[in-house]
Amino acid sequence: MVSNQHGLKDQVAGKFKEVKGKITGDRQEEAAGKTQKVLGKAKDKVQDLKDSLTGNDKEGTQ
């Protein structure tokens, strides 16, 4: 089964880093986490675009 959340791992890891940075007061760690979350979201958008261009949309398929 193909996951529709290709960037989920990066989003979760990024959120963890962001929270850890906030708790410890490490602004660099917090920024790295935010960046990783954005990267994960971008991966999802790129995969959605690829799927729509190749006709592999989940909508309307069984």
Side-chain angles (χ1 to χ4, degrees), residues 2-12 40-41 43-45 47-48 51 58:
V2 177
S3 171
N4 63 350
Q5 292 288 323
H6 296 280
L8 183 62
K9 178 182 167 189
D10 284 320
Q11 291 179 38
V12 171
K41 289 179 183 179
K43 283 182 181 179
D44 283 342
K45 296 293 182 184
Q47 189 60 44
D48 289 345
D51 289 345
K58 300 232 183 240

Side-chain angles (χ1 to χ4, degrees), residues 12-51:
V12 171
K15 183 65 176 178
F16 176 77
K17 283 182 183 179
E18 182 182 356
V19 170
K20 180 181 165 193
K22 283 182 182 179
I23 291 171
T24 61
D26 185 350
R27 290 186 179 265
Q28 227 173 0
E29 183 80 10
E30 186 178 346
K34 288 180 181 181
T35 302
Q36 192 169 3
K37 275 184 9 183
V38 169
L39 175 68
K41 289 179 183 179
K43 283 182 181 179
D44 283 342
K45 296 293 182 184
V46 167
Q47 189 60 44
D48 289 345
L49 180 61
K50 283 182 184 177
D51 289 345

Side-chain angles (χ1 to χ4, degrees), residues 57-62:
D57 285 338
K58 300 232 183 240
E59 295 177 23
T61 60
Q62 295 184 27

